[in-house]
Amino acid sequence: MDFYILLGVERGATLNDIKRAYKRLARRYHPDINPGDRVAAAQFRRIAEAYETLSDPDRRRRYDVHGPTAAAVDAATFGFEGFDFSVSVEGAAAPTFGDLFADVFQQRATAQRPERGADLHDTVDLSFDEALAGGPRSVTIARQVHCQACRGRGRLAVAETRCAHCQGSGVVKSTRGHMVFSKPCPHCSGRGRLGDAPCPVCGGRQLQMRSDTLVVNVPPGLADGARVRVPAKGHAGPNSAEPGDLYITLRVAPHPVFSREGDDLHMTLPVAVHEAALGARVEVAAPDGPARVRVPPGTQTGQRFRVRGRGVVSARDGRRGDLVVEIRIVLPPVLDERSKELLREFGRINGSDGIRE
Ligand SMILES: [Zn+2]
Ligand SMILES: [Zn+2]
């Protein structure tokens, strides 16, 4: 409902008029005066909301331009039932609702004039190789955008209609005793006709939710949990405020062979007993192609070798990590007599010296 009508004041009412009207109505509808009366409580809440808006010059200006939603205090989120209001409604000099909660309203007023729209967060799943390569990814997000129907104004120009409040006369009459008072209709500011209406698509909120598909360029080499910021693709803000940002958190699937530590890649390399004992050159399939690992003679299980520059290209500074290979000695299946004979001989020559304490 129109705040001016709620308070019974004219559009051009002074701050004093508004305060007076509020106090008069608060005395009638205050919950303390009407204990248990839900209708009165609801009415009081609306009156308090109207008063809070119209008594703040800034908010009043916005209300006059954009309608209730731009300036509204969502009174329902902010319970005042628990407070003692008797002070605020007794005597002309008593503090008003707004005075009592000046600091709270201050905070809310600041919160309602956001610098920009809210940030939006989403996740993207990548395979290990996709994360190493990077590249474009398409993401679908539900974001708040400016209402397309009203271009974010919250109101739409409509064919002029007769103001239903004053039946087009531009004047409203009230009777007090034998007196009849008439004043300009507050609904249409005395024009008798209305030229715009709250936008039916967004209900005057200026914003609407929309599902958007965006192509996000994921830089190569990002690890699990890394975040990509996409500027200005968060929620749109009210009153043409700048939009927030979109943050995409990457969820990178583990790889069956490689694991990542920083920009180094780690893998386990199985080598045969004779390779470990005599030394060997083994080719491994690194993500960027074959890499040669030199296994020196006498290598033991658990020893690690580093292949320089064959890890991940750092997304930070472009430097390459290493490929770290951990050796695991594997006994090949010994099936034929000749191999068994050789192993027996190997045992006779070497015994078990030095391998058990
Ligand atoms: Zn009217
Ligand atoms: Zn709209």
Side-chain angles (χ1 to χ4, degrees), residues 39-228:
V39 178
Q43 181 67 4
F44 179 73
R45 203 171 303 166
R46 282 192 288 268
I47 292 163
E49 184 187 348
Y51 172 70
E52 277 311 317
T53 302
L54 298 188
S55 61
D56 176 325
D58 240 35
R59 291 237 298 270
R60 183 175 176 181
R61 211 172 308 121
R62 264 182 295 146
Y63 175 83
D64 287 343
V65 176
H66 299 290
T69 45
V73 169
D74 185 9
T77 61
F78 166 136
F80 50 75
E81 271 101 335
F83 295 97
D84 177 11
F85 264 82
S86 49
V87 194
S88 68
V89 292
E90 299 296 329
T96 64
F97 188 88
D99 298 330
L100 285 172
F101 293 96
D103 51 344
V104 181
F105 280 118
Q106 194 55 49
Q107 283 169 17
R108 287 183 62 86
T110 318
Q112 261 175 0
R113 257 172 280 161
E115 299 274 297
R116 53 205 284 280
D119 290 334
L120 190 58
H121 296 266
D122 198 17
T123 55
V124 158
D125 291 294
L126 296 175
S127 75
F128 196 86
D129 291 328
E130 284 170 337
L132 290 190
R137 287 301 285 200
S138 125
V139 292
T140 301
I141 44 167
R143 56 193 288 255
Q144 197 167 255
V145 294
H146 283 126
C147 172
Q148 286 181 311
C150 63
R151 297 214 188 93
R153 281 179 57 240
R155 297 188 73 81
L156 279 181
V158 292
E160 286 228 325
T161 52
R162 205 171 63 133
C163 173
H165 190 73
C166 59
Q167 267 83 44
S169 68
V171 176
V172 284
K173 294 194 166 97
S174 57
T175 351
R176 258 174 232 155
H178 301 293
M179 311 268 281
V180 179
F181 296 90
S182 68
K183 60 175 185 180
C185 169
H187 204 65
C188 58
S189 310
R191 288 174 56 242
R193 306 187 74 72
L194 294 167
D196 69 353
C199 168
V201 175
C202 63
R205 286 178 52 250
Q206 307 178 357
L207 302 165
Q208 62 178 165
M209 289 302 282
R210 193 176 68 196
S211 181
D212 265 356
T213 299
L214 309 170
V215 175
V216 175
N217 239 323
V218 179
L222 290 181
D224 185 45
R227 243 172 29 152
V228 178

